[in-house]
Amino acid sequence: MFNIHTYHITPQEPCLLNADASTLQPSYPAQVALSVGLHPWHVSDDWQEAFAPVCAAAERTDVWAIGECGFDKLKAGASLAVQVEAFRAHIALAERVQKPMVIHCVKAFDELLALRKETEEAAKRVGRLPQPWVVHGFRGKPEQAKQLMTKGMLLSFGHQYNLETLRFVYASLKASSPSPSGSSFGKEEGSVNSFFLETDDLPLSVRQIYEQVARHLDVDVAHLSRLCDPRKKLFSRQIP
Ligand SMILES: [Zn+2]
């Protein structure tokens, strides 16, 4: 059961640990991969200084993703314009090191969609697909989920989510899956067709989230565990 966004290491649980790039340890337990970035709450007007260790850490092989980064209109250390500037730097970094992004987005989905479009167009000009973006802790309604997924973004759910949205996302995956076993996803080559689960900053076992979601979707935890595993789909890697 993979935890795609957490601030805590839990023994035996494979995860993407959101780590502070300026205080990284030389190595982490085998089940732990890292994401590094500047949280919008910590983006200040002189964010470039804090961004330097993020750029250095992004090259590490145990860093699998860039983030969390993004926008927060309710709580932030800088204006929206500065948050956009910092986010663009994260996009450029993710494209340079070719790693997906984990995104924090509160009430700024129009800005996010506009930047996704811009990134897609820039990637297309050099004959590439942009890196996948995972919007973490998604609590929006089904229409918003649909809008983001249509634009190539992926969603991650934590302990609080809109139940209707969760069911909608699951149903749309099932509908587009070529295999009844649910083992093969992806409508077109290069696209990732899945959703993910996380504990975020809560000191929980991700098993609790998987069990809650499995109950809500009326599926078994083993099935969900395969479906929501980003290792092959998103990262093309394997850890224990
Ligand atoms: Zn967040």
Side-chain angles (χ1 to χ4, degrees):
M1 277 174 255
F2 196 95
N3 186 353
I4 204 164
H5 184 63
T6 179
Y7 284 81
H8 307 279
I9 295 176
T10 307
Q12 321 290 322
E13 289 188 355
C15 71
L16 190 65
L17 177 73
N18 199 100
D20 179 344
S22 61
T23 58
L24 290 184
Q25 296 164 23
S27 68
Y28 286 82
Q31 84 278 14
V32 177
L34 310 173
S35 62
V36 291
L38 296 183
H39 194 294
W41 298 351
H42 305 134
V43 168
S44 58
D45 289 338
D46 55 355
W47 59 271
Q48 282 93 345
E49 204 179 311
F51 191 58
V54 173
C55 293
E59 309 277 352
R60 284 174 53 139
T61 51
D62 57 354
V63 169
W64 286 11
I66 304 305
E68 64 180 296
C69 53
F71 313 99
D72 199 317
K73 281 194 183 169
L74 297 182
K75 183 181 169 186
S79 66
L80 189 63
V82 172
Q83 292 182 55
V84 169
E85 191 183 288
F87 187 62
R88 277 187 206 278
H90 285 81
I91 297 171
L93 176 62
E95 293 299 323
R96 182 164 64 75
V97 297
Q98 292 284 288
K99 293 177 183 179
M101 296 178 79
V102 176
I103 291 170
H104 173 105
C105 186
V106 175
K107 300 201 180 289
F109 286 99
D110 289 345
E111 288 81 357
L112 184 68
L113 284 161
L115 280 155
R116 180 68 190 175
K117 189 161 181 253
E118 189 183 293
T119 307
E120 253 166 10
E121 286 167 359
K124 209 188 267 177
R125 281 197 292 276
V126 293
R128 282 218 298 239
L129 285 169
Q131 286 299 306
W133 292 5
V134 178
V135 177
H136 101 86
F138 189 72
R139 297 184 193 180
K141 294 191 173 149
E143 305 81 72
Q144 192 171 50
K146 189 176 176 187
Q147 197 183 18
L148 296 175
M149 288 159 69
T150 309
K151 301 295 174 196
M153 281 182 258
L154 296 149
L155 305 178
S156 169
F157 299 100
H159 89 295
Q160 277 187 319
Y161 44 78
N162 179 310
L163 183 51
E164 211 191 321
T165 303
L166 177 75
R167 290 188 171 134
F168 164 79
V169 170
Y170 180 68
S172 58
L173 293 184
K174 266 200 346 191
S176 64
S177 169
S179 151
S181 70
S183 60
S184 171
F185 285 87
K187 282 173 282 190
E188 53 192 73
E189 214 183 330
S191 79
V192 180
N193 192 10
S194 194
F195 67 90
F196 306 110
L197 300 177
E198 63 176 67
T199 54
D200 200 358
D201 57 349
L202 297 173
L204 296 175
S205 161
V206 78
R207 173 176 284 277
Q208 287 173 258
I209 311 290
Y210 275 83
E211 284 171 352
Q212 175 185 319
V213 169
R215 233 176 8 254
H216 278 153
L217 293 176
D218 196 20
V219 297
D220 62 60
V221 172
H223 165 69
L224 201 60
S225 178
R226 283 191 300 277
L227 180 65
C228 302
D229 191 333
R231 283 172 287 191
K232 281 195 180 132
K233 291 167 191 158
L234 193 62
F235 300 118
S236 321
R237 290 167 207 241
Q238 200 57 263
I239 53 173

